[in-house]
Amino acid sequence: MNTPAAQIDAISARAASRGTSRRGWVVIALLVAFMLINFADKAVLGLAAKPIMHDLGLSPASYGLLSSGFYFLFSISAILVGFVTNRVQTKWVLLVLAVIWALTQAPMIGTVGFGVLLASRIVLGAAEGPANPVAMHAAHKWFPNEKRGLPTALLNVGAGLGVAVAAPLLTKIIVTYGWHWAFLVLFVIGMVWVLLWAVFGKEGTVAGSASIHASSAQSEVDEPALPYRRILLNRTWLGGFLAGFAAYWALSLLVAWVPAYLQTSLHYSAVTASALVALPWVASVVFNVCQGALTDWLMRRGVSSRMSRGVLGGVAVMISGLAMVVFPFMPGGALQIALLTIAFSLGGIVFAIGMTVNAEISPTRQRGAVLSITVGIVTTAGLIAPYVTGLIIESAADPTTGYAMAFAITGVLSIVGGALATIFVQPERTARRLGLRAEEPTARA
């Protein structure tokens, strides 16, 4: 029988929960903007590729090295900062990262050489490496497992919006005023976000969820501490890694080479190419929102995480791979651009899925490190792909043939990685083996 005091406590708890939920969504909005800036900073080099190559006298291989330079410290930084987030609040980690992003744009405002540009991109990459996992860790602190799909997808939407919105605007600035001005704009935007985050950013308090723990909600200190090798060397993590590596290989080509491909091989103007290169990013926004809503809906209906996350993500990467192999050989026009859009967007939903899967198989206090280690290893694809692509293009009979070969390699990698993910990613089974889930699965599929 409920006493009046118990009823008052229940009402107060619900009110506090609603307040926390509202504040959580404010934080999510800021984190979406954070990811938007993240990808705008990353994409500006590709958007300015032709004038930069002209001004600095760069060959395709040299430009590929410059693009890959962004990833020289990307993975190492992601892993190291991931362990820092086990002890330092994500609010302050994100603030420091954003300040560094803005400062790395400043040298580009003046006249620079290859060395300064490369150094700037290396430092920017070191600061952006931890961005995605730390932002995801911050977001997951506001939502339990069964409600993380949509917030996680929205953060990936921020990445898509970053280029979809920034590409036409930055290209207009580059064409009208020169590529140095694009970096100035990004510097100003970055510092504005830093001020907003300092005022409104806040740490979440959600540790886990009853759907993960067999008994009632356990606190973070009750969760088992696990050797990282058990979390990172199981079939679920490995399957997700293979799909994520393939998808990131494609993403790094989208950022570094697709703008130049549209102008060099398909003969679009710089302005038209910037609009077309935005299409995969716009599509990724749609796909990520749909993925987040669909995954959460399936999970609430009792569909297994394997089907809702593992199979869904793996199939998406496979479809992207097929489109990647085909589109260079299609006649120019709407169909070719549609396939190019799918090739560079649909597989990207595996990034959000991978974050939720890894959160599902990680103790809360180790989650920041696990997400960061995963991103650090997956994104090594970005270190390899742009430079290898530059070598392929330079050694081919002509650039168009070189691009087709590079895209075919990417497509096959995606097909294989996606297929293996559909087989190996089984989060519930892995969580039970790790002692994070005691109950039997209630999946319908």
Side-chain angles (χ1 to χ4, degrees), residues 66-87:
L66 185 62
S67 297
S68 288
F70 177 85
Y71 294 96
F72 282 171
L73 298 176
F74 191 96
S75 300
I76 295 173
S77 176
I79 294 171
L80 293 178
V81 175
F83 283 99
V84 171
T85 61
N86 288 347
R87 298 179 179 275

Side-chain angles (χ1 to χ4, degrees), residues 136-441:
M136 293 295 180
H137 185 37
H140 290 172
K141 289 186 175 185
W142 289 94
F143 300 91
N145 176 58
E146 66 275 9
K147 295 182 179 180
R148 288 176 185 154
L150 184 57
T152 303
L154 289 176
L155 262 63
N156 276 1
V157 162
L161 286 175
V163 181
V165 173
L169 295 178
L170 291 176
T171 300
K172 182 66 174 178
I173 292 170
I174 292 167
V175 171
T176 305
Y177 302 104
W179 58 271
H180 299 281
W181 279 86
F183 288 91
L184 173 61
V185 170
L186 292 175
F187 167 77
V188 173
I189 292 173
M191 293 308 299
V192 169
W193 186 91
V194 167
L195 293 175
L196 291 174
W197 181 252
V199 175
F200 298 107
K202 185 177 174 61
E203 205 78 3
T205 58
V206 176
S209 167
S211 66
I212 291 182
H213 303 292
S215 57
S216 60
Q218 292 177 304
S219 67
E220 182 176 330
V221 297
D222 293 328
E223 292 182 307
L226 297 171
Y228 283 97
R229 68 177 184 276
R230 293 193 63 199
I231 304 173
L232 301 175
L233 295 179
N234 60 72
R235 60 188 294 157
T236 293
W237 186 90
L238 291 171
F241 160 74
L242 293 171
F245 183 89
Y248 206 87
W249 186 288
L251 177 64
S252 65
L253 295 192
L254 174 60
V255 173
W257 282 109
V258 169
Y261 168 72
L262 290 170
Q263 295 177 60
T264 302
S265 293
L266 301 188
H267 308 295
Y268 290 104
S269 68
V271 173
T272 302
S274 70
L276 293 176
V277 82
L279 292 178
W281 298 100
V282 173
S284 73
V285 171
V286 176
F287 289 140
N288 271 287
V289 171
C290 291
Q291 174 273 316
L294 176 60
T295 296
D296 283 356
W297 180 77
L298 291 172
M299 293 287 287
R300 287 194 300 269
R301 289 179 61 84
V303 176
S304 70
S305 185
R306 178 186 182 184
M307 295 298 298
S308 303
R309 292 168 174 165
V311 173
L312 178 64
V315 170
V317 174
M318 292 174 65
I319 294 173
S320 288
L322 289 170
M324 187 80 68
V325 172
V326 171
F327 86 80
F329 303 100
M330 299 298 295
L335 179 59
Q336 184 184 47
I337 296 302
L339 289 171
L340 181 148
T341 299
I342 293 172
F344 288 102
S345 60
L346 181 58
I349 70 170
V350 80
F351 300 133
I353 289 172
M355 289 295 180
T356 52
V357 166
N358 286 321
E360 194 173 350
I361 63 172
S362 306
T364 302
R365 60 186 148 184
Q366 295 175 269
R367 184 174 63 212
V370 170
L371 297 183
S372 295
I373 291 170
T374 302
V375 168
I377 298 175
V378 165
T379 54
T380 55
L383 177 63
I384 303 168
Y387 182 57
V388 169
T389 299
L391 292 176
I392 293 172
I393 294 170
E394 194 167 304
S395 62
D398 57 81
T400 300
T401 301
Y403 279 115
M405 291 173 59
F407 294 145
I409 292 171
T410 305
V412 172
L413 190 63
S414 295
I415 293 169
V416 174
L420 292 174
T422 63
I423 298 170
F424 292 133
V425 176
Q426 300 182 29
E428 294 97 343
R429 179 179 178 182
T430 298
R432 288 196 301 274
R433 288 186 172 183
L434 295 176
L436 299 173
R437 179 191 290 269
E439 78 276 12
E440 289 300 314

